[in-house]
Amino acid sequence: RLELDAANDLNLNDLHYKINAQTRKHVLGTDIILINSGDLDPLTFRQELADLVKVVSLYDAKVIGIDHTFSRDPRIMGTAALVQELSENNKVVLALNTQGKDHLKIQNAAYGTVNLIKEPQTVRRYEGGRRTLAAQIVKKFGLKHEIPDDPYLINYVAPDYQPTAFTLQAVNELAFSEPGVVPVFNAREVMNATDASMLNGKIVLIGHFGSTALRDIKDDLEDKFSVPSDTNMIFRSPSMPGVLIHANAIDNLLRKEVRFTEVSATWWFKCLEVLFVFAYLYFLVFAEAGKVVNILLMLGLSLPALFVVLYLMQYNWYIEMGSTLLQLLVFEEMVEIFSPLYRWIQHKLKPTEL
């Protein structure tokens, strides 16, 4: 069942990330800093998170996004301190999971929804509108252009992450020699830093990248999702933390030049696509060229189309092609199956010569 779902989830456009892994045109913008809350003590998590938010705020971060939800149980240690800090800090945007229940509601706090769209397993799009976590954060940050109303395709400019020592050099670079890998700073290092002035004016995202109690935080599957930039295109497993998905979505909103333009969503492209499919179907039915010619024609159409799509994706032009190529294959097989029946009916309807 899992293998079948993985196969259904395949999108040929995902080849873009695999082919261009070492030659990425864009990396995560320097306005975003990522902090891993996974090294905070689970027993005193709320108190330590309140202290972390206070430290980040004191160093004049412009916006603090927190990708955590909290239960209403007031007996949990540090609840009072956390509620006080989050209700009084106007830089904070909190995560709101509209599918969850019994969440702690904090007065005067700004919230943004964090429900991710899966197609059917992989997160390729981000919700549009102004109610999302990404939209609320860029609004506080001072976004100058409009936020899309409809779900938009995420360009994963930061598909991978690496725990990094919290230093001025790492914050300033915000990238490694390996394209697409972004540094993640552990919360305790930020809290204990003698100088965190590099947070000034930044968007600071706090979320669970993985528990530091593990040998490798990437082994922690909590709050992780399958994404198109995953190294394994067929048998995908949850690999990207939710907070990093939000970071990519925020970056796409802040920088219009990295956002995909979806050509396949335009009316004129849909019309051309329908005409193309019907022309191919007409050829299959009436040309009767034979299976070999049909397959060669399908390959002759598919391979150039795949090349064009992958080339355009380098320049952030997106054309959805997986379903169209699948239609060509299905039509070819259907014609192969039903052509004998069609010829038999045609023969029966043909007038009898006397």
Side-chain angles (χ1 to χ4, degrees):
R1 174 64 182 168
L2 289 175
E3 292 181 4
L4 179 61
D5 287 344
N8 290 338
D9 198 47
L10 174 63
N11 189 314
L12 293 178
N13 299 71
D14 299 351
L15 282 169
H16 161 73
Y17 293 103
K18 199 168 187 67
I19 293 173
N20 300 301
Q22 299 300 321
T23 57
R24 298 184 186 279
K25 293 175 64 69
H26 302 287
V27 295
L28 192 70
T30 55
D31 289 324
I32 302 172
I33 291 179
L34 305 170
I35 296 179
N36 178 29
S37 58
D39 73 332
L40 299 179
D41 189 332
L43 295 177
T44 57
F45 181 84
R46 294 190 174 186
Q47 178 64 61
E48 291 189 336
L49 182 59
D51 295 339
L52 173 63
V53 172
K54 188 175 295 185
V55 168
V56 172
S57 185
L58 286 174
Y59 280 102
D60 287 329
K62 194 165 185 179
V63 188
I64 305 170
I66 302 177
D67 186 26
H68 282 284
T69 56
F70 308 95
S71 69
R72 290 183 180 180
D73 190 349
R75 297 169 299 176
I76 298 177
M77 188 182 304
T79 298
L82 181 65
V83 170
Q84 181 179 355
E85 178 61 34
L86 298 183
S87 61
E88 295 176 355
N89 196 322
N90 61 5
K91 299 179 179 180
V92 173
V93 179
L94 298 174
L96 174 65
N97 186 344
T98 58
Q99 297 175 351
K101 297 180 180 179
D102 197 35
H103 288 160
L104 179 65
K105 295 294 190 299
I106 298 175
Q107 291 185 346
N108 304 322
Y111 282 90
T113 57
V114 292
N115 306 102
L116 297 174
I117 304 171
K118 300 179 183 178
E119 303 177 355
Q121 298 179 76
T122 300
V123 179
R124 292 190 175 88
R125 298 178 185 274
Y126 199 84
E127 285 284 3
R130 295 183 170 271
R131 297 180 61 245
T132 65
L133 182 69
Q136 289 292 318
I137 286 174
V138 298
K139 179 182 174 183
K140 275 186 178 288
F141 190 68
L143 182 68
K144 302 301 182 184
H145 47 265
E146 288 297 316
I147 295 172
D149 292 324
D150 298 321
Y152 58 94
L153 198 73
I154 304 172
N155 187 354
Y156 283 97
V157 294
D160 201 2
Y161 60 98
Q162 172 98 15
T164 309
F166 186 64
T167 63
L168 178 61
Q169 180 182 3
V171 172
N172 285 340
E173 291 178 357
L174 278 182
F176 293 100
S177 57
E178 184 179 351
V181 181
V182 294
V184 172
F185 308 108
N186 285 326
R188 289 185 182 278
E189 290 192 25
V190 178
M191 292 167 63
N192 298 328
T194 55
D195 180 16
S197 58
M198 60 283 278
L199 301 179
N200 183 281
K202 304 289 187 181
I203 295 174
V204 177
L205 297 181
I206 302 171
H208 186 85
F209 282 87
S211 173
T212 52
L214 300 175
R215 180 179 298 178
D216 186 343
I217 65 172
K218 293 186 179 181
D219 293 333
D220 188 344
L221 295 182
E222 181 180 343
D223 193 39
K224 289 187 178 177
F225 301 85
S226 300
V227 291
S229 57
D230 196 352
T231 54
N232 191 330
M233 289 184 57
I234 305 296
F235 303 106
R236 286 196 171 119
S237 60
S239 60
M240 182 174 287
V243 63
L244 187 53
I245 295 177
H246 296 301
N248 278 281
I250 290 168
D251 189 63
N252 284 192
L253 290 178
L254 290 176
R255 301 188 296 159
K256 291 183 72 173
E257 67 271 18
V258 306
R259 200 184 310 166
F260 282 122
T261 299
E262 293 193 63
V263 179
S264 49
T266 58
W267 66 268
W268 59 266
F269 182 86
K270 291 179 179 179
C271 292
L272 287 176
E273 186 179 35
V274 170
L275 289 174
F276 170 75
V277 170
F278 273 103
Y280 180 73
L281 182 58
Y282 180 87
F283 174 83
L284 292 178
V285 173
F286 295 104
E288 298 184 358
K291 186 174 181 65
V292 174
V293 174
N294 291 343
I295 291 176
L296 290 175
L297 177 63
M298 184 179 67
L299 291 175
L301 294 172
S302 302
L303 294 178
L306 180 60
F307 174 81
V308 170
V309 167
L310 294 177
Y311 177 79
L312 291 176
M313 283 189 73
Q314 296 182 62
Y315 299 94
N316 301 334
W317 290 79
Y318 182 86
I319 301 175
E320 172 53 52
M321 61 167 293
S323 58
T324 303
L325 295 183
L326 182 61
Q327 284 178 333
L328 299 185
L329 177 62
V330 170
F331 285 150
E332 195 281 327
E333 291 300 320
M334 287 177 61
V335 169
E336 183 71 20
I337 293 172
F338 290 105
S339 57
L341 177 61
Y342 171 76
R343 286 193 293 269
W344 180 81
I345 294 175
Q346 191 179 41
H347 176 73
K348 289 295 183 182
L349 295 176
K350 186 176 180 180
T352 305
E353 295 182 2
L354 297 176

